[in-house]
Amino acid sequence: MTTKDRTRNSENKLLCDITGGKPHRRVTNLFIGIFASVPVTLALPADALQVKVTPSNPELGDTLSVVINLDNPDNGSNPIVAIGEKTYPAFAIAPNKYRAFVPTTPVEPAGIRKLKISGDGQVQNLAVTVRNRKFPVQRITLPPGKSADGATEYELKRVAAFKALQTPQKYWNGLFGKPNAGRISTIYGVRRYYNGKFAKDYYHRGVDYAGAAGSPVVAPAAGRVALVGTVSQGFRVHGNVVGVDHGQGVVSIFMHLSRINVKEGDIVKTGQLIGAVGSTGASTGPHLHWGLYVNGQAVDPVPWRFNAVE
């Protein structure tokens, strides 16, 4: 028997031991293929950073949701999303899964946003195009004492601290609801003249509901009441106001209330009564102003009512 024959017989015996019978050509090819593929598989690096951005075709006023999957998060720190020098925190939403929100506003230019996503020792760069959107212009005449420039220092500090909240816990679940049953009288993003003077860098930072005076105001989504302010405390512009922290950088503010039914620290459910429509503060008549802020910037609340962000 030649050396070649002995080698072939040894291979056949090995395959018979594995399969319990005679060697088969398909088994032989599989056996050889497995061993041949091992070095290639080990040589390929794992893709540890996977990113998805929604909506797929955003416009000014939309909230960009950046979902990040990490295969091996082992350093204990969450990923970070950055646009230039501005960073946005990512919060855990499932095992090995994180999400960061990037707000867009009417006073920003449309065009490409260059996102830098860092996590698990890796960096991924993405370019997202934000489409332009035309916003209407409105002229508002306020009587003496109702000027939008009359906010007190205390009012501004309290509201600014509330809008900057980035609580890791996520309170909301599913679609946001309507905070009042009235019709929408002023949409998000409207640019304004106040008493004939254009308000530079101003846009309507929310949605107005023309609800009747005293009609219920409810929480559009679950959260923790993090702000309660009244005219008597110095809230001259916001009037009687309630702020609900929905978590993970998302907060709602409800202005010009005639009545407040909650206190700071309360946990509220979707649809729970928090106040009543009024005309306190810088208001020309009874209505509810609902502002939705994401990482400190006012975004359009309407998409949150029709496209669930989990």
Side-chain angles (χ1 to χ4, degrees), residues 4-200:
K4 183 176 181 180
D5 292 333
R6 285 197 297 270
T7 302
R8 184 181 295 110
N9 287 339
S10 298
E11 289 176 352
N12 289 343
K13 184 178 185 303
L14 177 60
L15 290 173
C16 287
D17 291 341
I18 293 174
T19 61
K22 294 182 179 180
H24 191 278
R25 180 172 299 175
R26 183 180 300 171
V27 176
T28 305
N29 291 341
L30 175 63
F31 184 81
I32 296 173
I34 290 174
F35 280 90
S37 66
V38 169
V40 178
T41 303
L42 295 178
L44 293 175
D47 184 12
L49 192 61
Q50 303 172 31
V51 182
K52 181 180 180 180
V53 180
T54 56
S56 58
N57 193 25
E59 63 181 6
L60 292 176
D62 282 344
T63 304
L64 303 182
S65 174
V66 184
V67 176
I68 307 158
N69 287 280
L70 300 181
D71 288 342
N72 299 297
D74 57 0
N75 58 8
S77 62
N78 292 6
I80 294 177
V81 176
I83 299 180
E85 298 298 320
K86 179 66 176 178
T87 60
Y88 303 92
F91 297 100
I93 57 174
N96 300 349
K97 192 173 185 178
Y98 302 82
R99 185 200 41 238
F101 287 129
V102 177
T104 68
T105 71
V107 295
E108 299 173 359
I112 295 176
R113 303 289 191 275
K114 294 182 179 180
L115 278 62
K116 179 181 179 181
I117 301 97
S118 306
D120 202 24
Q122 294 195 8
V123 175
Q124 185 171 146
N125 294 292
L126 294 177
V128 178
T129 300
V130 178
R131 294 180 294 118
N132 197 13
R133 176 180 171 186
K134 291 185 178 180
F135 297 94
V137 176
Q138 191 178 54
R139 296 179 182 271
I140 298 292
T141 300
L142 294 173
K146 291 278 190 176
S147 171
D149 296 327
T152 64
E153 184 178 355
Y154 173 76
E155 175 182 12
L156 294 175
K157 286 184 177 180
R158 289 292 312 278
V159 172
F162 167 72
K163 293 175 181 177
L165 290 174
Q166 294 177 330
T167 308
Q169 183 174 352
K170 176 179 175 287
Y171 292 101
W172 86 91
N173 182 33
L175 294 173
F176 278 48
K178 290 179 63 174
N180 182 259
R183 65 176 178 84
I184 293 179
S185 55
T186 306
I187 66 172
Y188 166 86
V190 173
R191 311 304 300 275
R192 279 181 175 172
Y193 286 84
Y194 280 104
N195 295 341
K197 182 180 179 181
F198 184 69
K200 185 179 180 182

Side-chain angles (χ1 to χ4, degrees), residues 225-250:
V225 178
L227 172 68
V228 170
T230 63
V231 174
S232 62
Q233 294 174 328
F235 284 78
R236 295 177 184 172
V237 171
H238 293 78
N240 298 329
V241 62
V242 169
V244 175
D245 177 15
H246 303 295
Q248 300 191 344
V250 183

Side-chain angles (χ1 to χ4, degrees), residues 244-294:
V244 175
D245 177 15
H246 303 295
Q248 300 191 344
V250 183
V251 301
S252 285
I253 193 165
F254 308 92
M255 297 165 49
H256 313 307
L257 304 175
S258 62
R259 185 182 70 248
I260 295 174
N261 290 77
V262 291
K263 64 182 183 300
E264 291 184 9
D266 285 352
I267 302 297
V268 295
K269 299 179 181 179
T270 304
Q272 181 174 332
L273 182 69
I274 59 176
V277 170
S279 187
T280 56
S283 169
T284 57
H287 73 283
L288 169 69
H289 175 94
W290 171 33
L292 184 66
Y293 285 76
V294 172

